[in-house]
Amino acid sequence: MNISLEDYFRTTFEDRLLVKMPERDDDNLTAATKLLEKRREMAEVEQALKTQQEEFQMKMESLGQRREELERKEFLLKESLLKFDKFLKENDSKRARAVKKADDEKDLKRSKVNEITRLKDSISELVKEKDDLLQTLNANAIFQQYMDRMIETTEEFHEIREVIARYDTLTVTHKDLMEKEIKNQEAIETERQEFKTDMEEVNNEILNYNNELAALQTRLDKAESRAVKWESKWTHIKNTAAHKTLVLGRIKMATHNLYQLVLHHHHRESESTIEDTTEQLNKIKQFILDLTHIISEIRRNIQAATQQHHPAPAAIP
């Protein structure tokens, strides 16, 4: 059912949309009042148009549903007529071929059953293979992501096929290395057998050396007993040396203190001091000699001055 929307719209809404407004005396209205009137008129027209559009939409939807229903019924009717006509045409031929077709269908059925069984088995295998491939794909997805990130970050490779080519090269190299490793393992096994023979000879030599070692151990025990005696003596010597070292340290400390007093007396604290104890003793000795000489001079001067102020009494006749 074809409907002209233009004709339907024109006949249905033409009279309704053309709303006639009452005539007014526009000369007595202000511009603002006229504008408000125009806006009100436009609002009324838009509301009426909106209402008519909603009604039109509802009617169009209803007509569309009816049209679809009629087309569906018409299609079913045509299909039914075609099937019935076909049935009538094929009825006679089917009767003649019924027996042959039944036998053919039995053979075909057996063949189809066998084919279905084979296909089911094939489908089961394919499903299993699909699941295995999906698992492998999911497991290997991380490698695809890794290779994509590697290509983005590295400057050596620009495509995945370059990485695969490098992998093939490395695989061949690994195979060669494995062959060399097998040869090396065989050589190592030979060396191991030779080493085992050498170790047996060495063990025999070690046994002989152990016998010699036992004899040397006996000598060592005797030497250790003698060493204990000498260690006792050495301990006594170290203790004596430690006491003498302590006394020497005290002497050096006393000498250093006296040397500092000598420097202080001579006002030489800022000068570099002598670290050698012998030199310090020489300085102290020189200081004592100088001091003794000065004291002797002072005593002689005092004695001379005393004699001058207090002359000796004259001898009595």
Side-chain angles (χ1 to χ4, degrees):
M1 296 177 65
N2 298 325
I3 300 175
S4 176
L5 297 179
E6 184 179 358
D7 295 339
Y8 179 82
F9 184 79
R10 183 183 295 110
T11 57
T12 304
F13 302 109
E14 185 177 9
D15 295 334
R16 297 181 183 180
L17 291 176
L18 298 176
V19 179
K20 295 181 179 181
M21 302 301 298
E23 296 180 358
R24 297 176 181 268
D25 189 4
D26 297 335
D27 297 332
N28 297 325
L29 297 177
T30 63
T33 304
K34 292 180 181 181
L35 179 61
L36 292 175
E37 285 295 328
K38 291 297 182 181
R39 288 182 177 177
R40 185 180 62 80
E41 291 174 4
M42 289 178 65
E44 290 177 353
V45 172
E46 289 176 356
Q47 183 64 33
L49 179 61
K50 183 177 180 181
T51 302
Q52 295 302 324
Q53 286 178 345
E54 291 176 353
E55 293 177 358
F56 174 75
Q57 185 67 29
M58 293 174 62
K59 289 183 179 180
M60 287 301 295
E61 290 177 356
S62 177
L63 289 174
Q65 293 176 357
R66 290 182 60 190
R67 182 179 62 185
E68 291 176 357
E69 184 65 21
L70 291 174
E71 288 177 353
R72 186 179 66 81
K73 289 182 179 180
E74 182 181 4
F75 175 78
L76 293 175
L77 180 60
K78 289 181 179 179
E79 186 177 9
S80 178
L81 291 174
L82 290 173
K83 289 181 179 179
F84 182 74
D85 183 65
K86 184 177 180 181
F87 172 77
L88 292 177
K89 291 179 179 179
E90 294 178 354
N91 189 34
D92 295 335
S93 60
K94 286 182 178 180
R95 290 177 182 177
R97 295 176 299 175
V99 176
K100 184 178 182 300
K101 185 177 180 180
D103 295 334
D104 294 337
E105 286 179 352
K106 289 180 180 180
D107 296 335
L108 182 62
K109 181 180 179 180
R110 285 193 296 270
S111 176
K112 292 297 182 182
V113 168
N114 295 331
E115 183 69 16
I116 290 171
T117 302
R118 186 182 64 79
L119 291 176
K120 285 181 177 180
D121 295 336
S122 178
I123 289 172
S124 299
E125 294 177 358
L126 291 175
V127 169
K128 184 177 181 301
E129 183 178 359
K130 177 185 176 183
D131 294 337
D132 294 337
L133 291 175
L134 286 175
Q135 293 178 359
T136 304
L137 179 62
N138 294 331
N140 294 333
I142 187 174
F143 300 108
Q144 177 68 30
Q145 298 173 1
Y146 169 77
M147 295 183 72
D148 292 337
R149 290 196 302 269
M150 183 184 68
I151 291 173
E152 291 176 358
T153 56
T154 185
E155 298 180 356
E156 183 178 0
F157 304 103
H158 301 286
E159 295 180 2
I160 295 178
R161 58 185 180 84
E162 296 179 358
V163 179
I164 295 174
R166 174 61 64 84
Y167 173 78
D168 293 337
T169 303
L170 294 176
T171 302
V172 174
T173 305
H174 178 265
K175 183 178 179 181
D176 295 336
L177 292 174
M178 288 300 297
E179 292 176 356
K180 292 180 180 179
E181 180 65 18
I182 292 172
K183 293 180 180 179
N184 292 333
Q185 289 296 331
E186 293 175 354
I188 290 172
E189 184 63 27
T190 302
E191 293 292 336
R192 185 180 289 111
Q193 294 297 329
E194 294 178 359
F195 177 77
K196 183 177 179 181
T197 302
D198 294 336
M199 284 300 297
E200 291 176 355
E201 295 176 359
V202 170
N203 289 331
N204 293 330
E205 293 180 2
I206 290 173
L207 182 61
N208 295 329
Y209 289 143
N210 286 334
N211 294 331
E212 295 179 4
L213 182 61
L216 293 173
Q217 184 65 38
T218 303
R219 293 176 59 187
L220 177 62
D221 294 338
K222 294 178 180 179
E224 287 179 348
S225 63
R226 292 194 300 270
V228 169
K229 179 180 178 181
W230 286 107
E231 284 178 358
S232 177
K233 293 182 179 181
W234 172 245
T235 302
H236 176 70
I237 293 171
K238 287 194 295 184
N239 293 333
T240 304
H243 177 70
K244 291 182 179 180
T245 301
L246 179 60
V247 173
L248 179 61
R250 291 176 179 175
I251 293 171
K252 287 184 176 182
M253 181 62 68
T255 303
H256 180 72
N257 293 334
L258 291 173
Y259 178 69
Q260 292 295 327
L261 291 173
V262 171
L263 292 178
H264 179 71
H265 179 77
H266 289 290
H267 303 288
R268 297 179 179 177
E269 294 87 342
S270 59
E271 296 181 0
S272 58
T273 58
I274 300 172
E275 299 296 336
D276 185 54
T277 304
T278 303
E279 293 295 329
Q280 291 178 357
L281 288 172
N282 292 330
K283 293 291 184 181
I284 294 169
K285 177 182 177 182
Q286 185 64 40
F287 175 75
I288 293 172
L289 292 174
D290 294 338
L291 187 60
T292 302
H293 179 70
I294 292 171
I295 292 171
S296 298
E297 289 293 331
I298 292 172
R299 285 177 179 176
R300 285 195 297 270
N301 292 332
I302 292 173
Q303 186 178 4
T306 303
Q307 290 177 359
Q308 291 177 1
H309 290 289
H310 302 283
I316 300 174

